[in-house]
Structures are given as C-alpha cells and as structure tokens.
Amino acid sequence: MSRVLHLNTQFASLGGVEAVLRFHHEQDTGLAMDSRFISLWEEPREGFPRTAFAAFSRQLSVRDARRRVAGAWPAFKPTTVVHHTPWGQPYLADLDGPARRILFLHSDTPGLAQQLPARLPLMDGIIAVSDVLLDRARAAAPAWPKARFLRIDYPIHPPPWLTGRKTHHPGSPLVLGYAGRLSTEQKRIERFIELSRHLSNTAFPWRIEFLGDGPERPLLESALPDRTRHVFHGRQSGEDYWRIVDGWDAILFTSDFEGTPIALIEALATGAVPIHPAIGSGGDAYAREISPALAYPAADMGGMAQAIQELANWTPPQRDEASLRARALAARHDARHYLTRFRSFVAEIESLPPLPKPALRQWRFPLDRLSFAQWEWIAKLRRR
C-alpha cells in the first residue's frame, strides 16, 4: 500500500484544488492508499481527520514553519509526497525524506514557466490538468521520459437525477452563473460590476447568480443592488449546489489565470456552456471546443458582454447542440477514472528509480530565523 502525503496551501476553503484534496481525503483508502494531508496556510478546522493545519503566516519564521510541517505526522513515513502547489519547496522539500515527490499542476499561475526549471529537478513526476500545463512541464524537463508525466482530467460527482438537458423558454432571462471564491485575487470578481454595466445596454433579459462566498461579497452586493438581475446564493453544497447550477445557461469566468476549473466541468455536466477569458488554459480550450465565440479577450468585459450577446442570439437548436457538446466534454471527468489513473501513476513513480536531486539549502541559524515576509523582501531585492 502506498503511503501518500498531500501538501497544499489550503484544504478546507472554497476552490477547485481544495475540492480535489477533499475527494482524495474521502476516497484514497478505497484505492489502497494510506493518505495524510497538510494545509500550510489555514487555521485548524474541525471535521477533517488525517489533516493537519499548519497555520502559516507571513510573520512566521522558516524554522517554526519547518517544525510545524515536520511535526504534523511524525509517525507517518510517506512513500510519495504530492505537492499540489509550486510554493514552498525551497523551505520544505528536504522534509520529504526518501519519499518520491510529485508536483501536481492545477493552475497556470503567473510566473509558473519561470518557476518550473527550479522546481522540477526536485521532483520525480508531474501531474497536469491541462495540455497547456503539461507542455510547460515537458519544456522544463525535456530529458524526462513520458512515464514521469501524467495528463489527468479533474473528477466531478454529478447527482444521479441530473439530465444535462436545458429547456429554453422564449422570453425567459438568460441565466448566467459564477461559482467559486468571491475574491479579487486571481478571480477578479470586481469585474462583474463592469460586466453588469455592459449588459444593462442589451435588449435581452438576463440574470447573474453568484454561488460562493468571499471577501468581496459586500462590495458586489453594494455595487449590484438590483436583485432581479443579481442573485447571491452564498456557499452551497451537495444537492443545493447542483440544483442552482442546473438552472444556469452559462457559467462565467473573469479570472486572470486558471487551470481547468472544476466549477466549469460541473456546469458542463448540466449542459451549461462556459464563457471564459482567452488566457491559454484548459478552461478557454473547453469553451472553444463548444464555440470559438465563448472565449473572449482576457480582462475585456466589453468582449465578454459580446460573447454573452452571441449566446443570447443562438437559436434553440444551436443552444441544444452546444449543451450536447458541453455534456460530452464533462463525460471525460468520471471520478472513478480519475482515481484509478492517479493511483496507477503513484505506483509507477514509486516503481521507477528516484531521480538525482540537487542539494537544497541547509536551514540553519541565522537564516532559518527570518520570516517568510523577510525572505520575500530579499527575493524582491535579488530580482531588482
């Protein structure tokens, strides 16, 4: 049985990566994987056995951070450590011991292409959720054999009652949804204010529904006061979540960067189409597979409004055909298929000889007494 340690900045919060981690938390045992989890930057949460919350902060010293990670599961000796973030390896990677290391690329974060040449020499394998991310990894490790790379499709869990068929009534509003964190960082949720201004000049009826929570919710609720056009559902889960998404005609993204968002795939399963910025990710690739018109110029809310107008102009047969394409894309993301491929890849990496690794920094006094904020300041000076 493989002993797998999953490491990420978050675990219990909203987000696609966190949803995947919680899926592993539920399912790993059934696939003969004994797993543990460490959430680096979250405060402790109840209800998640086998999960340690390290509660990092920018003021925390590297020494204390390393102690928290090393002390999270002292009796657990992983055979593989899966790093679900490219953050932290310079501080923490040597704590993995003899375990194999896999870097799981969930999102094309800014600067990733520059980070990977420094991160991949520390790893033994790569998992990527999109072709774009896989290509970045291969470019950073051109000498690695194919067996050390895995392109994987995110898992989704639609309820059995979901048909994926949309009924379009003439004159009914076009229902546009957003699912995820209501935050400026990455998601750029404040752009919905500008989008709403553009849509107010259109002739067709519309409504935007926000499914999720976050620090920018008060801003949105104040700036978008018309509750006939802007609905805030808050954070939902289970059947309540799926019934809301099932009522959408399209799911909207205003992000600066993404991988292949799980919320997008879940919406595809309902027959909704994605309207996604053209940022070179799995998300806009899926939008283009349904219709090129659904991938709008990045950060251009006028362009996004035009994409929504295009959708509103489609005839019922065109919308039915788009829903069929959406459901076909979602069918790739069967949860059992994901787990089987993940488990097989872990076994494959453990069967291969470990790759030679470069020497890591030795964290001793006085360098380990510096905080993350101080190391961030030093890194900025070096870049200058």
Side-chain angles (χ1 to χ4, degrees):
M1 175 182 284
S2 293
R3 298 184 301 277
V4 181
L5 177 64
H6 295 270
L7 196 73
N8 192 40
T9 54
Q10 309 285 325
F11 176 88
S13 62
L14 284 172
V17 181
E18 293 84 345
V20 170
L21 285 167
R22 293 193 294 272
F23 181 54
H24 278 286
H25 189 271
E26 296 170 2
Q27 301 293 329
D28 278 1
T29 303
L31 274 88
M33 287 188 290
D34 183 12
S35 60
R36 300 292 185 277
F37 300 80
I38 299 178
S39 174
L40 298 175
W41 289 82
E42 280 180 313
E43 296 292 328
R45 304 283 188 96
E46 296 294 329
F48 297 109
R50 309 192 333 276
T51 304
F53 295 88
F56 282 10
S57 70
R58 294 183 69 251
Q59 287 68 45
L60 190 68
S61 72
V62 172
R63 180 183 67 167
D64 289 341
R66 286 169 57 82
R67 285 178 173 175
R68 292 183 188 185
V69 171
W73 303 109
F76 183 73
K77 305 301 179 186
T79 53
T80 294
V81 178
V82 182
H83 292 257
H84 292 265
T85 171
W87 184 89
Q89 284 81 35
Y91 305 110
L92 307 171
D94 62 301
L95 300 177
D96 294 348
R100 303 292 196 272
R101 294 188 198 121
I102 294 174
L103 181 60
F104 197 140
L105 297 176
H106 295 267
S107 185
D108 196 10
T109 52
L112 180 66
Q114 290 72 42
Q115 279 184 311
L116 286 178
R119 296 294 184 266
L120 263 61
L122 304 174
M123 299 294 154
D124 297 286
I126 289 289
I127 300 174
V129 301
S130 72
D131 293 333
V132 171
L133 289 169
L134 189 67
D135 290 344
R136 289 202 190 285
R138 284 177 170 158
W144 281 17
K146 288 184 179 180
R148 292 189 181 271
F149 297 91
L150 175 65
R151 162 71 168 87
I152 202 166
D153 292 316
Y154 265 153
I156 61 169
H157 323 281
W161 52 260
L162 190 70
T163 65
R165 297 183 182 90
K166 300 293 184 189
T167 302
H168 308 293
H169 300 289
S172 62
L174 191 68
V175 184
L176 310 166
Y178 170 85
R181 295 186 303 275
L182 301 182
S183 66
T184 296
E185 184 180 1
Q186 178 189 357
K187 301 301 182 181
R188 299 304 302 270
I189 195 74
E190 80 284 357
R191 288 174 175 159
F192 277 97
I193 300 170
E194 182 186 350
L195 174 65
S196 183
R197 287 198 295 266
H198 284 289
L199 292 178
S200 66
N201 298 320
T202 60
F204 61 89
W206 55 272
R207 181 171 73 248
I208 301 176
E209 298 187 1
F210 297 93
L211 180 51
D213 214 336
E216 304 304 328
R217 180 172 176 176
L219 168 68
L220 287 182
E221 289 183 326
S222 174
L224 305 173
D226 184 351
R227 291 295 165 263
T228 63
R229 284 185 162 179
H230 310 99
V231 177
F232 292 84
H233 292 290
R235 182 171 182 168
Q236 303 290 336
S237 61
E239 297 282 307
D240 294 332
Y241 171 91
W242 281 101
R243 291 193 189 281
I244 292 168
V245 177
D246 192 36
W248 295 350
D249 297 298
I251 184 168
L252 309 183
F253 293 85
T254 54
S255 320
D256 279 337
F257 57 91
E258 287 285 358
T260 304
I262 289 183
L264 183 152
I265 303 161
E266 291 171 336
L268 292 176
T270 74
V273 300
I275 298 179
H276 198 285
I279 51 178
S281 73
D284 45 305
Y286 272 14
R288 286 192 182 92
E289 283 197 54
I290 297 171
S291 170
L294 299 177
Y296 67 92
D300 181 359
M301 293 301 96
M304 188 181 198
Q306 290 176 12
I308 294 169
Q309 177 72 67
E310 175 80 12
L311 173 60
N313 291 340
W314 286 355
T315 64
Q318 286 177 308
R319 291 173 70 173
D320 290 343
E321 176 61 27
S323 287
L324 283 172
R325 291 179 186 171
R327 286 151 52 195
L329 290 172
R332 304 177 186 175
H333 295 268
D334 177 82
R336 291 164 299 181
H337 183 56
Y338 167 88
L339 285 171
T340 301
R341 297 191 71 210
F342 179 91
R343 174 67 185 92
S344 297
F345 186 67
V346 168
E348 174 76 8
I349 293 300
E350 290 182 355
S351 72
L352 294 171
L355 291 173
K357 307 292 192 301
L360 288 165
R361 180 194 297 273
Q362 297 296 304
W363 290 103
R364 300 192 181 100
F365 179 84
L367 297 181
D368 66 344
R369 302 312 197 264
L370 299 179
S371 69
F372 289 127
Q374 289 169 320
W375 277 109
E376 182 181 318
W377 179 76
I378 291 170
K380 287 179 179 178
L381 285 182
R382 286 174 175 169
R383 285 195 292 271
R384 289 175 187 172

Short mmCIF file of all heavy atoms in Angstrom, two decimals, residues 155-201:
data_model
loop_
_atom_site.label_atom_id
_atom_site.label_comp_id
_atom_site.label_asym_id
_atom_site.label_seq_id
_atom_site.Cartn_x
_atom_site.Cartn_y
_atom_site.Cartn_z
N PRO A 155 -11.88 15.17 -11.43
CA PRO A 155 -13.08 14.38 -11.16
C PRO A 155 -14.27 15.27 -10.81
O PRO A 155 -14.13 16.30 -10.14
CB PRO A 155 -12.67 13.55 -9.95
CG PRO A 155 -11.72 14.45 -9.20
CD PRO A 155 -10.97 15.23 -10.27
N ILE A 156 -15.46 14.88 -11.26
CA ILE A 156 -16.69 15.53 -10.82
C ILE A 156 -17.67 14.45 -10.37
O ILE A 156 -17.54 13.29 -10.73
CB ILE A 156 -17.33 16.42 -11.90
CG1 ILE A 156 -17.71 15.60 -13.14
CG2 ILE A 156 -16.39 17.57 -12.28
CD1 ILE A 156 -18.58 16.36 -14.12
N HIS A 157 -18.70 14.88 -9.61
CA HIS A 157 -19.62 13.92 -8.99
C HIS A 157 -21.06 14.41 -9.16
O HIS A 157 -21.72 14.78 -8.19
CB HIS A 157 -19.29 13.77 -7.50
CG HIS A 157 -17.82 13.81 -7.22
ND1 HIS A 157 -17.01 12.72 -7.44
CD2 HIS A 157 -17.02 14.81 -6.79
CE1 HIS A 157 -15.77 13.06 -7.13
NE2 HIS A 157 -15.75 14.31 -6.74
N PRO A 158 -21.57 14.42 -10.39
CA PRO A 158 -22.95 14.89 -10.60
C PRO A 158 -23.96 13.94 -9.96
O PRO A 158 -23.72 12.73 -9.89
CB PRO A 158 -23.08 14.90 -12.13
CG PRO A 158 -22.05 13.97 -12.63
CD PRO A 158 -20.91 14.02 -11.65
N PRO A 159 -25.08 14.47 -9.48
CA PRO A 159 -26.09 13.61 -8.85
C PRO A 159 -26.80 12.75 -9.90
O PRO A 159 -26.85 13.11 -11.09
CB PRO A 159 -27.07 14.61 -8.23
CG PRO A 159 -26.90 15.86 -9.04
CD PRO A 159 -25.45 15.89 -9.46
N PRO A 160 -27.37 11.63 -9.50
CA PRO A 160 -27.99 10.73 -10.48
C PRO A 160 -29.20 11.31 -11.19
O PRO A 160 -29.52 10.88 -12.29
CB PRO A 160 -28.39 9.51 -9.62
CG PRO A 160 -28.38 9.98 -8.22
CD PRO A 160 -27.37 11.06 -8.14
N TRP A 161 -29.85 12.30 -10.57
CA TRP A 161 -31.05 12.87 -11.20
C TRP A 161 -30.72 13.87 -12.32
O TRP A 161 -31.60 14.28 -13.07
CB TRP A 161 -31.94 13.56 -10.17
CG TRP A 161 -31.26 14.57 -9.30
CD1 TRP A 161 -30.82 14.38 -8.02
CD2 TRP A 161 -30.92 15.93 -9.62
NE1 TRP A 161 -30.24 15.52 -7.52
CE2 TRP A 161 -30.29 16.49 -8.48
CE3 TRP A 161 -31.10 16.74 -10.75
CZ2 TRP A 161 -29.83 17.81 -8.45
CZ3 TRP A 161 -30.64 18.05 -10.72
CH2 TRP A 161 -30.01 18.57 -9.59
N LEU A 162 -29.44 14.26 -12.44
CA LEU A 162 -29.08 15.28 -13.42
C LEU A 162 -29.23 14.74 -14.84
O LEU A 162 -28.65 13.72 -15.19
CB LEU A 162 -27.65 15.73 -13.18
CG LEU A 162 -27.19 16.96 -13.97
CD1 LEU A 162 -27.89 18.20 -13.46
CD2 LEU A 162 -25.68 17.12 -13.82
N THR A 163 -30.00 15.43 -15.68
CA THR A 163 -30.18 15.01 -17.07
C THR A 163 -29.22 15.72 -18.01
O THR A 163 -28.89 15.19 -19.07
CB THR A 163 -31.61 15.28 -17.54
OG1 THR A 163 -31.85 16.70 -17.57
CG2 THR A 163 -32.62 14.62 -16.60
N GLY A 164 -28.79 16.94 -17.65
CA GLY A 164 -27.93 17.70 -18.54
C GLY A 164 -28.66 18.36 -19.68
O GLY A 164 -28.04 18.92 -20.58
N ARG A 165 -29.98 18.32 -19.67
CA ARG A 165 -30.77 18.92 -20.76
C ARG A 165 -31.35 20.26 -20.30
O ARG A 165 -31.89 20.36 -19.20
CB ARG A 165 -31.89 17.98 -21.19
CG ARG A 165 -31.40 16.66 -21.75
CD ARG A 165 -32.56 15.79 -22.23
NE ARG A 165 -32.09 14.51 -22.72
CZ ARG A 165 -31.94 13.43 -21.98
NH1 ARG A 165 -32.23 13.48 -20.69
NH2 ARG A 165 -31.50 12.30 -22.50
N LYS A 166 -31.26 21.25 -21.14
CA LYS A 166 -31.79 22.57 -20.85
C LYS A 166 -33.10 22.78 -21.61
O LYS A 166 -33.23 22.39 -22.77
CB LYS A 166 -30.80 23.66 -21.27
CG LYS A 166 -29.44 23.59 -20.57
CD LYS A 166 -29.56 23.88 -19.09
CE LYS A 166 -28.20 23.91 -18.43
NZ LYS A 166 -28.29 23.99 -16.96
N THR A 167 -34.04 23.41 -20.94
CA THR A 167 -35.29 23.80 -21.59
C THR A 167 -35.28 25.31 -21.76
O THR A 167 -35.15 26.06 -20.79
CB THR A 167 -36.51 23.39 -20.75
OG1 THR A 167 -36.47 21.98 -20.53
CG2 THR A 167 -37.80 23.75 -21.45
N HIS A 168 -35.38 25.76 -23.00
CA HIS A 168 -35.27 27.18 -23.31
C HIS A 168 -36.65 27.73 -23.64
O HIS A 168 -37.25 27.38 -24.66
CB HIS A 168 -34.31 27.41 -24.48
CG HIS A 168 -32.98 26.75 -24.29
ND1 HIS A 168 -32.08 27.14 -23.33
CD2 HIS A 168 -32.40 25.69 -24.94
CE1 HIS A 168 -31.01 26.37 -23.39
NE2 HIS A 168 -31.18 25.49 -24.35
N HIS A 169 -37.17 28.62 -22.78
CA HIS A 169 -38.48 29.23 -22.99
C HIS A 169 -38.30 30.62 -23.60
O HIS A 169 -37.53 31.43 -23.06
CB HIS A 169 -39.24 29.33 -21.68
CG HIS A 169 -39.48 27.99 -21.02
ND1 HIS A 169 -40.36 27.07 -21.52
CD2 HIS A 169 -38.93 27.44 -19.91
CE1 HIS A 169 -40.37 26.00 -20.74
NE2 HIS A 169 -39.50 26.20 -19.76
N PRO A 170 -39.01 30.92 -24.69
CA PRO A 170 -38.90 32.26 -25.30
C PRO A 170 -39.24 33.35 -24.28
O PRO A 170 -40.22 33.25 -23.55
CB PRO A 170 -39.93 32.21 -26.43
CG PRO A 170 -40.08 30.75 -26.75
CD PRO A 170 -39.92 30.04 -25.44
N GLY A 171 -38.41 34.37 -24.24
CA GLY A 171 -38.65 35.49 -23.34
C GLY A 171 -38.12 35.32 -21.94
O GLY A 171 -38.10 36.29 -21.16
N SER A 172 -37.68 34.12 -21.56
CA SER A 172 -37.14 33.92 -20.22
C SER A 172 -35.72 34.48 -20.17
O SER A 172 -35.01 34.53 -21.17
CB SER A 172 -37.14 32.43 -19.86
OG SER A 172 -36.31 31.71 -20.75
N PRO A 173 -35.29 34.94 -18.99
CA PRO A 173 -33.95 35.54 -18.91
C PRO A 173 -32.85 34.52 -19.15
O PRO A 173 -32.99 33.34 -18.83
CB PRO A 173 -33.89 36.09 -17.48
CG PRO A 173 -34.91 35.31 -16.72
CD PRO A 173 -35.99 34.98 -17.70
N LEU A 174 -31.77 35.00 -19.73
CA LEU A 174 -30.56 34.19 -19.86
C LEU A 174 -29.91 34.15 -18.48
O LEU A 174 -29.56 35.19 -17.91
CB LEU A 174 -29.62 34.82 -20.88
CG LEU A 174 -28.43 34.00 -21.36
CD1 LEU A 174 -28.90 32.81 -22.18
CD2 LEU A 174 -27.48 34.87 -22.18
N VAL A 175 -29.77 32.96 -17.90
CA VAL A 175 -29.25 32.83 -16.54
C VAL A 175 -27.75 32.54 -16.61
O VAL A 175 -27.32 31.51 -17.14
CB VAL A 175 -29.98 31.73 -15.75
CG1 VAL A 175 -29.48 31.71 -14.30
CG2 VAL A 175 -31.48 31.96 -15.78
N LEU A 176 -26.97 33.46 -16.06
CA LEU A 176 -25.51 33.41 -16.10
C LEU A 176 -25.02 33.18 -14.69
O LEU A 176 -25.43 33.87 -13.75
CB LEU A 176 -24.96 34.73 -16.65
CG LEU A 176 -25.59 35.22 -17.96
CD1 LEU A 176 -25.22 36.67 -18.22
CD2 LEU A 176 -25.15 34.33 -19.12
N GLY A 177 -24.12 32.20 -14.50
CA GLY A 177 -23.69 31.85 -13.16
C GLY A 177 -22.20 32.04 -12.94
O GLY A 177 -21.39 31.98 -13.88
N TYR A 178 -21.85 32.28 -11.69
CA TYR A 178 -20.47 32.27 -11.25
C TYR A 178 -20.40 31.38 -10.02
O TYR A 178 -21.23 31.51 -9.10
CB TYR A 178 -19.96 33.67 -10.90
CG TYR A 178 -18.61 33.64 -10.21
CD1 TYR A 178 -17.44 33.59 -10.95
CD2 TYR A 178 -18.52 33.61 -8.82
CE1 TYR A 178 -16.20 33.51 -10.33
CE2 TYR A 178 -17.28 33.53 -8.19
CZ TYR A 178 -16.13 33.49 -8.95
OH TYR A 178 -14.91 33.40 -8.32
N ALA A 179 -19.41 30.47 -9.96
CA ALA A 179 -19.25 29.59 -8.81
C ALA A 179 -17.81 29.64 -8.33
O ALA A 179 -16.89 29.39 -9.11
CB ALA A 179 -19.63 28.15 -9.16
N GLY A 180 -17.61 29.96 -7.06
CA GLY A 180 -16.26 29.98 -6.51
C GLY A 180 -16.08 31.08 -5.50
O GLY A 180 -17.04 31.67 -4.99
N ARG A 181 -14.82 31.39 -5.21
CA ARG A 181 -14.49 32.42 -4.23
C ARG A 181 -14.84 33.80 -4.77
O ARG A 181 -14.53 34.12 -5.92
CB ARG A 181 -13.00 32.37 -3.89
CG ARG A 181 -12.55 31.12 -3.19
CD ARG A 181 -11.09 31.21 -2.75
NE ARG A 181 -10.20 31.47 -3.89
CZ ARG A 181 -9.71 30.52 -4.67
NH1 ARG A 181 -10.05 29.26 -4.50
NH2 ARG A 181 -8.90 30.83 -5.66
N LEU A 182 -15.47 34.60 -3.96
CA LEU A 182 -15.75 35.99 -4.33
C LEU A 182 -14.57 36.84 -3.88
O LEU A 182 -14.59 37.48 -2.82
CB LEU A 182 -17.05 36.46 -3.68
CG LEU A 182 -18.31 35.66 -4.04
CD1 LEU A 182 -19.55 36.25 -3.38
CD2 LEU A 182 -18.50 35.60 -5.56
N SER A 183 -13.51 36.80 -4.68
CA SER A 183 -12.27 37.47 -4.30
C SER A 183 -11.66 38.16 -5.52
O SER A 183 -11.91 37.78 -6.66
CB SER A 183 -11.26 36.48 -3.71
OG SER A 183 -10.84 35.56 -4.69
N THR A 184 -10.86 39.17 -5.24
CA THR A 184 -10.16 39.88 -6.30
C THR A 184 -8.95 39.09 -6.77
O THR A 184 -8.68 39.00 -7.98
CB THR A 184 -9.73 41.27 -5.81
OG1 THR A 184 -10.91 42.03 -5.51
CG2 THR A 184 -8.91 42.00 -6.86
N GLU A 185 -8.20 38.51 -5.83
CA GLU A 185 -7.01 37.75 -6.19
C GLU A 185 -7.37 36.59 -7.10
O GLU A 185 -8.23 35.78 -6.77
CB GLU A 185 -6.32 37.23 -4.93
CG GLU A 185 -5.01 36.52 -5.22
CD GLU A 185 -4.34 36.01 -3.96
OE1 GLU A 185 -4.91 36.19 -2.87
OE2 GLU A 185 -3.25 35.44 -4.07
N GLN A 186 -6.74 36.53 -8.25
CA GLN A 186 -6.93 35.53 -9.30
C GLN A 186 -8.31 35.63 -9.95
O GLN A 186 -8.44 35.76 -11.16
CB GLN A 186 -6.75 34.10 -8.79
CG GLN A 186 -7.00 33.05 -9.90
CD GLN A 186 -7.05 31.63 -9.40
OE1 GLN A 186 -6.85 31.37 -8.23
NE2 GLN A 186 -7.33 30.69 -10.28
N LYS A 187 -9.39 35.61 -9.16
CA LYS A 187 -10.75 35.53 -9.71
C LYS A 187 -11.23 36.85 -10.29
O LYS A 187 -12.12 36.85 -11.15
CB LYS A 187 -11.72 35.04 -8.64
CG LYS A 187 -11.39 33.67 -8.06
CD LYS A 187 -11.36 32.60 -9.14
CE LYS A 187 -11.08 31.23 -8.56
NZ LYS A 187 -11.01 30.18 -9.61
N ARG A 188 -10.70 37.97 -9.81
CA ARG A 188 -11.06 39.31 -10.30
C ARG A 188 -12.57 39.51 -10.35
O ARG A 188 -13.15 39.97 -11.33
CB ARG A 188 -10.41 39.56 -11.66
CG ARG A 188 -8.91 39.52 -11.65
CD ARG A 188 -8.29 40.49 -10.65
NE ARG A 188 -8.70 41.87 -10.91
CZ ARG A 188 -8.03 42.69 -11.71
NH1 ARG A 188 -6.92 42.25 -12.32
NH2 ARG A 188 -8.45 43.93 -11.89
N ILE A 189 -13.19 39.17 -9.22
CA ILE A 189 -14.65 39.18 -9.14
C ILE A 189 -15.22 40.58 -9.31
O ILE A 189 -16.38 40.75 -9.73
CB ILE A 189 -15.08 38.56 -7.78
CG1 ILE A 189 -16.56 38.19 -7.79
CG2 ILE A 189 -14.75 39.47 -6.64
CD1 ILE A 189 -16.86 36.96 -8.59
N GLU A 190 -14.41 41.63 -9.04
CA GLU A 190 -14.91 43.00 -9.18
C GLU A 190 -15.23 43.34 -10.63
O GLU A 190 -15.97 44.31 -10.89
CB GLU A 190 -13.88 43.99 -8.61
CG GLU A 190 -12.72 44.33 -9.51
CD GLU A 190 -11.66 43.24 -9.60
OE1 GLU A 190 -11.79 42.21 -8.90
OE2 GLU A 190 -10.69 43.40 -10.37
N ARG A 191 -14.74 42.55 -11.58
CA ARG A 191 -15.04 42.83 -12.98
C ARG A 191 -16.50 42.61 -13.32
O ARG A 191 -16.98 43.10 -14.35
CB ARG A 191 -14.15 41.94 -13.87
CG ARG A 191 -12.69 42.38 -13.88
CD ARG A 191 -11.81 41.41 -14.63
NE ARG A 191 -10.44 41.92 -14.71
CZ ARG A 191 -9.37 41.17 -14.93
NH1 ARG A 191 -9.51 39.86 -15.10
NH2 ARG A 191 -8.17 41.71 -14.99
N PHE A 192 -17.22 41.89 -12.46
CA PHE A 192 -18.65 41.71 -12.72
C PHE A 192 -19.41 43.04 -12.64
O PHE A 192 -20.49 43.17 -13.23
CB PHE A 192 -19.25 40.70 -11.73
CG PHE A 192 -19.06 39.28 -12.15
CD1 PHE A 192 -18.01 38.53 -11.65
CD2 PHE A 192 -19.93 38.70 -13.06
CE1 PHE A 192 -17.83 37.20 -12.05
CE2 PHE A 192 -19.75 37.38 -13.47
CZ PHE A 192 -18.70 36.63 -12.96
N ILE A 193 -18.87 44.01 -11.93
CA ILE A 193 -19.52 45.32 -11.85
C ILE A 193 -19.50 45.97 -13.23
O ILE A 193 -20.53 46.48 -13.72
CB ILE A 193 -18.82 46.20 -10.80
CG1 ILE A 193 -18.90 45.53 -9.42
CG2 ILE A 193 -19.44 47.59 -10.77
CD1 ILE A 193 -18.04 46.19 -8.36
N GLU A 194 -18.35 45.94 -13.88
CA GLU A 194 -18.25 46.49 -15.25
C GLU A 194 -19.07 45.66 -16.22
O GLU A 194 -19.76 46.21 -17.11
CB GLU A 194 -16.80 46.53 -15.69
CG GLU A 194 -16.62 47.12 -17.09
CD GLU A 194 -15.19 47.04 -17.59
OE1 GLU A 194 -14.28 46.70 -16.80
OE2 GLU A 194 -14.98 47.32 -18.80
N LEU A 195 -19.04 44.34 -16.09
CA LEU A 195 -19.82 43.49 -16.97
C LEU A 195 -21.30 43.83 -16.88
O LEU A 195 -22.00 43.91 -17.90
CB LEU A 195 -19.60 42.02 -16.62
CG LEU A 195 -20.48 41.02 -17.39
CD1 LEU A 195 -20.14 41.03 -18.88
CD2 LEU A 195 -20.32 39.62 -16.82
N SER A 196 -21.80 44.04 -15.67
CA SER A 196 -23.21 44.36 -15.48
C SER A 196 -23.57 45.67 -16.19
O SER A 196 -24.66 45.79 -16.77
CB SER A 196 -23.53 44.46 -13.99
OG SER A 196 -24.90 44.70 -13.78
N ARG A 197 -22.66 46.63 -16.17
CA ARG A 197 -22.91 47.89 -16.89
C ARG A 197 -23.04 47.65 -18.38
O ARG A 197 -23.91 48.22 -19.06
CB ARG A 197 -21.80 48.90 -16.60
CG ARG A 197 -21.85 49.49 -15.20
CD ARG A 197 -21.04 50.77 -15.12
NE ARG A 197 -19.61 50.53 -15.32
CZ ARG A 197 -18.74 50.33 -14.34
NH1 ARG A 197 -19.15 50.31 -13.09
NH2 ARG A 197 -17.46 50.14 -14.61
N HIS A 198 -22.18 46.80 -18.93
CA HIS A 198 -22.27 46.48 -20.36
C HIS A 198 -23.59 45.75 -20.67
O HIS A 198 -24.25 46.06 -21.67
CB HIS A 198 -21.09 45.60 -20.78
CG HIS A 198 -19.79 46.34 -20.93
ND1 HIS A 198 -19.55 47.22 -21.96
CD2 HIS A 198 -18.66 46.32 -20.17
CE1 HIS A 198 -18.33 47.71 -21.83
NE2 HIS A 198 -17.77 47.18 -20.76
N LEU A 199 -23.97 44.82 -19.84
CA LEU A 199 -25.18 44.05 -20.10
C LEU A 199 -26.44 44.89 -19.95
O LEU A 199 -27.48 44.57 -20.55
CB LEU A 199 -25.26 42.84 -19.17
CG LEU A 199 -24.22 41.74 -19.39
CD1 LEU A 199 -24.39 40.63 -18.35
CD2 LEU A 199 -24.33 41.15 -20.80
N SER A 200 -26.37 45.97 -19.17
CA SER A 200 -27.56 46.82 -18.97
C SER A 200 -27.99 47.49 -20.27
O SER A 200 -29.13 47.96 -20.39
CB SER A 200 -27.28 47.88 -17.91
OG SER A 200 -26.28 48.79 -18.35
N ASN A 201 -27.11 47.52 -21.27
CA ASN A 201 -27.44 48.13 -22.56
C ASN A 201 -27.97 47.12 -23.58
O ASN A 201 -28.24 47.48 -24.72
CB ASN A 201 -26.19 48.81 -23.15
CG ASN A 201 -25.67 49.93 -22.26
OD1 ASN A 201 -26.46 50.68 -21.71
ND2 ASN A 201 -24.35 50.02 -22.13
#
